């Protein structure tokens, strides 16, 4: 049976708990997992820019004893009419054991995973970013023992990272406040209605939404591929600054998946401050992705 990792909402709490548990074990004792992927090869296709995803998958797979090959879409004909993508996957499956794809088209990732040719991992699409949010959740669990009653606040755009956060919240049912400009929220009502629950609250004021929150999360206002530059005007007063952090809980953490636009969605004072865990987030991406690789390889 082919195992894929495309969206968090395709997993049960038990399955995600197991992946997080493996990640914690790898982080605690990496040497015990140093040969678990020996003889396995991960292929990576990047149709969008990448720093953290590229490094964490590449280094992570090698630390598990496996090999990595980065495949250029154009060079292998993955983005052309030379042959179908399914035919390309069939050929790749004769040489590699798993493929991580980072692209603009989530429907394409879903379609490819449904072919059941080779394990597909979603390294980011226009719709979701499951590896990022599961890595973030590992970071949150390390900072707070009781995450079930934790108050998390998202301030910013309605984007792919947020959708994966909403998927996670629907599974774990922690308290989540969304602070999003009304006009942007209205454009995404269909998605939000499907994921609405009693522990999800909506705000338009960052101060009200961040009150006593243990975790403040944000992302860039303009994601890669987003051409709606006019929407930036809606984010006036949405910059995460010291006032918002001071309004949160005393031991609150600040999270950003990076790259960050300093002075836009967050001030340098907060990004580089004592509440910030952005580098820990980045590092934990590797441990989560190592656990995901072990999951998809497991028979």
């Amino acid at each position: 049976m082919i195992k894929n990792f495309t969206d968090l909402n395709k997993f049960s709490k038990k399955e995600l708990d197991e992946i997080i548990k493996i990640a914690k074990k790898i982080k605690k004792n990496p040497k015990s997992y140093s040969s678990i992927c020996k003889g396995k090869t991960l292929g990576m296709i990047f149709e969008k820019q990448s720093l953290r995803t590229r490094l964490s998958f590449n280094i992570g797979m090698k630390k598990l004893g496996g090999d990595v090959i980065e495949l250029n879409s154009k060079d292998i004909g993955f983005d052309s009419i030379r042959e179908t993508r399914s035919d390309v996957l069939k050929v790749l499956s004769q040489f590699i054991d798993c493929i991580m794809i980072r692209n603009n088209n989530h429907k394409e990732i879903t379609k490819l995973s449904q072919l059941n040719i080779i394990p597909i991992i979603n390294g980011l699409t226009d719709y979701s970013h499951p590896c990022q949010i599961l890595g973030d959740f590992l970071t949150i669990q390390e900072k707070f023992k009781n995450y079930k009653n934790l108050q998390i606040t998202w301030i910013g755009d309605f984007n792919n990272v947020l959708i994966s956060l909403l998927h996670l919240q629907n599974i774990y049912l922690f308290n989540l406040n969304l602070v999003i400009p009304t006009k942007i929220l209205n454009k995404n009502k269909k998605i939000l209605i499907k994921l609405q629950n009693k522990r999800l609250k909506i705000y338009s004021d960052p101060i009200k939404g961040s009150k006593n929150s243990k975790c403040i999360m944000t992302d860039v206002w303009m994601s890669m591929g987003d051409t709606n530059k006019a929407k930036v005007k809606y984010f006036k007063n949405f910059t995460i600054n010291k006032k918002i952090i001071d309004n949160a809980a005393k031991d609150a953490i600040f999270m950003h998946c990076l790259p960050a636009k300093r002075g836009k969605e967050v001030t340098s004072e907060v990004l580089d401050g004592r509440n910030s865990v952005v580098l820990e987030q980045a590092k934990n991406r590797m441990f989560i992705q190592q656990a995901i690789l072990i999951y998809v390889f497991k028979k």
Side-chain angles (χ1 to χ4, degrees):
M1 178 183 174
I2 299 294
K3 290 183 178 179
N4 301 295
F5 190 84
T6 55
D7 271 316
L8 296 181
N9 63 350
K10 297 185 185 300
F11 291 84
S12 65
K13 181 178 179 296
K14 184 178 179 180
E15 289 170 324
L16 292 180
D17 280 343
E18 183 59 30
I19 292 173
I20 294 171
K21 184 179 178 181
I22 293 170
K24 289 178 178 178
K25 286 182 177 180
I26 296 171
K27 188 172 183 178
K28 187 176 181 180
N29 190 7
K31 288 185 179 179
S32 63
Y33 289 85
S34 61
S35 61
I36 196 168
C37 288
K38 186 177 181 180
K40 300 286 187 183
T41 300
L42 167 68
M44 303 194 301
I45 294 179
F46 292 96
E47 296 179 345
K48 301 186 77 166
Q49 285 184 321
S50 175
L51 172 61
R52 283 150 291 274
T53 298
R54 176 178 270 111
L55 284 173
S56 53
F57 266 112
N58 194 319
I59 303 301
M61 182 62 170
K62 289 175 180 176
K63 284 179 178 287
L64 295 177
D67 295 307
V68 182
I69 181 169
E70 190 166 326
L71 303 162
N72 183 286
S73 291
K74 186 177 180 180
D75 290 345
I76 65 172
F78 203 60
D79 62 348
S80 70
I81 57 173
R82 183 167 176 256
E83 55 188 321
T84 66
R85 287 195 169 198
S86 61
D87 283 342
V88 173
L89 280 188
K90 288 174 185 176
V91 173
L92 289 175
S93 70
Q94 305 304 302
F95 297 93
I96 64 177
D97 302 282
C98 175
I99 188 161
M100 187 284 301
I101 302 174
R102 183 179 174 97
N103 76 354
N104 286 306
N105 192 339
H106 188 77
K107 289 181 180 178
E108 189 66 28
I109 290 276
T110 301
K111 181 181 176 182
L112 293 173
S113 66
Q114 290 172 346
L115 293 173
N116 287 315
I117 295 172
I118 187 173
I120 303 289
I121 296 175
N122 173 6
L124 175 145
T125 68
D126 55 341
Y127 176 74
S128 64
H129 199 355
C131 293
Q132 176 67 54
I133 285 300
L134 204 59
D136 291 350
F137 199 43
L138 170 60
T139 307
I140 288 169
Q141 287 191 23
E142 288 175 339
K143 296 297 179 181
F144 304 103
K145 290 182 179 180
N146 184 10
Y147 63 82
K148 292 180 181 178
N149 294 315
L150 197 70
Q151 178 63 62
I152 297 173
T153 298
W154 172 275
I155 301 175
D157 194 18
F158 197 108
N159 62 10
N160 50 3
V161 179
L162 174 57
I163 288 174
S164 287
L165 178 61
L166 287 167
H167 286 165
L168 188 77
Q169 193 265 348
N170 261 255
I171 296 167
Y172 285 91
L173 294 176
F174 47 79
N175 298 308
L176 177 61
N177 290 348
L178 299 187
V179 186
I180 298 172
T182 304
K183 288 191 177 182
I184 291 176
L185 193 68
N186 289 339
K187 290 181 179 180
N188 295 278
K189 271 190 174 180
K190 287 183 179 180
I191 297 174
L192 194 58
I193 288 170
K194 291 179 181 178
L195 298 169
Q196 188 74 50
N197 60 68
K198 291 181 180 179
R199 293 198 168 204
L200 179 65
K201 295 182 179 179
I202 313 296
Y203 295 87
S204 58
D205 182 350
I207 294 297
K208 289 182 179 178
S210 61
K211 184 69 175 176
N212 296 323
S213 181
K214 291 280 191 177
C215 175
I216 305 294
M217 300 181 75
T218 193
D219 192 6
V220 292
W221 295 337
M222 291 289 296
S223 299
M224 283 187 292
D226 191 343
T227 58
N228 184 19
K229 294 182 180 180
K231 75 177 186 180
V232 173
K233 64 185 178 183
Y234 302 136
F235 291 102
K236 186 180 179 181
N237 301 322
F238 272 67
T239 302
I240 311 298
N241 53 27
K242 190 175 183 297
K243 183 179 180 181
I244 290 174
I245 294 298
D246 289 345
N247 189 57
K250 281 187 177 180
D251 56 346
I253 59 173
F254 169 74
M255 305 185 84
H256 192 308
C257 63
L258 304 179
K261 300 294 183 183
R262 293 172 181 266
K264 299 294 184 181
E265 72 274 4
V266 61
T267 63
S268 289
E269 183 181 21
V270 171
L271 188 65
D272 301 325
R274 64 179 181 83
N275 302 88
S276 178
V277 296
V278 297
L279 293 181
E280 291 173 64
Q281 278 180 269
K283 188 174 183 178
N284 277 339
R285 287 286 304 280
M286 183 180 74
F287 301 115
I288 276 293
Q289 283 153 197
Q290 287 176 313
I292 291 168
L293 287 165
I294 291 170
Y295 165 81
V296 299
F297 288 143
K298 189 176 180 180
K299 299 294 185 181

